[in-house]
Amino acid sequence: MKLALISPDKSTEFGFYDNLTSLAESAAKSLGHDLEVLTASDLDEQGRVEQLLFEGRQRLESAEKPRYIILPNYLGLAERLAPEAVAAGVELFVVAEAASMGVEGIFGQLVPNDEEAGEKLARGLFRRARERLGGVPLKIAVL
């Protein structure tokens, strides 16, 4: 099965899109699928969106189009590409940034829960601090 990953930037300050790309490549390889990664990292935000729309449209029009495209809804990218994906018979899966699930062509999305992630991070940090301090009470200031 042929898949495409549209990523606004391959290397960011926090490495999010690098990690997303690595995860997608690893998953595709382990499942025996072909994955094409499309990026546009050398442009400003709007230039990236336009370049990624262009790249996505080219894939939708190709004879060997992907069955699925995985992408963040970066500045509305998924919602703008969805009508053309529907017309081409390609489904979109949105990661990291919410899209309007009522948009035809978007069959699913994975959106992190920032509140839950923050709580898990804080609990993990407190646990490690307690381990390192050997049971000494922690003093915490909240701003």
Side-chain angles (χ1 to χ4, degrees), residues 60-94:
L60 293 174
E61 295 169 1
S62 75
E64 294 185 28
K65 61 186 163 220
R67 182 165 178 194
Y68 298 100
I69 295 178
I70 306 159
L71 72 166
N73 193 32
Y74 181 75
L75 300 176
L77 177 63
E79 292 168 354
R80 290 177 61 187
L81 195 57
E84 295 164 64
V86 168
V90 175
E91 295 185 87
L92 302 180
F93 186 80
V94 181

Side-chain angles (χ1 to χ4, degrees), residues 17-37:
Y17 293 114
D18 279 337
N19 290 334
L20 176 62
T21 300
S22 295
L23 175 68
E25 288 172 336
S26 179
K29 182 179 178 182
S30 70
L31 294 171
H33 300 313
D34 295 322
L35 176 72
E36 179 180 18
V37 179

Side-chain angles (χ1 to χ4, degrees), residues 11-12 17 24 36 55-56 61 79 93-94 100 113 125 128:
S11 60
T12 61
Y17 293 114
E36 179 180 18
E55 295 283 340
E61 295 169 1
E79 292 168 354
F93 186 80
V94 181
S100 299
N113 179 330
L125 290 171
R128 290 190 79 184

Side-chain angles (χ1 to χ4, degrees), residues 85-136:
V86 168
V90 175
E91 295 185 87
L92 302 180
F93 186 80
V94 181
V95 294
E97 299 171 47
S100 299
M101 286 307 295
V103 174
E104 186 178 354
I106 297 176
F107 78 94
Q109 66 182 354
L110 177 65
V111 181
N113 179 330
D114 292 337
E115 186 176 322
E116 183 179 335
E119 181 181 339
K120 285 182 179 182
L121 174 63
R123 288 181 187 276
L125 290 171
F126 293 147
R127 185 183 70 252
R128 290 190 79 184
R130 281 189 210 103
E131 290 169 2
R132 286 185 176 177
L133 294 173
V136 174

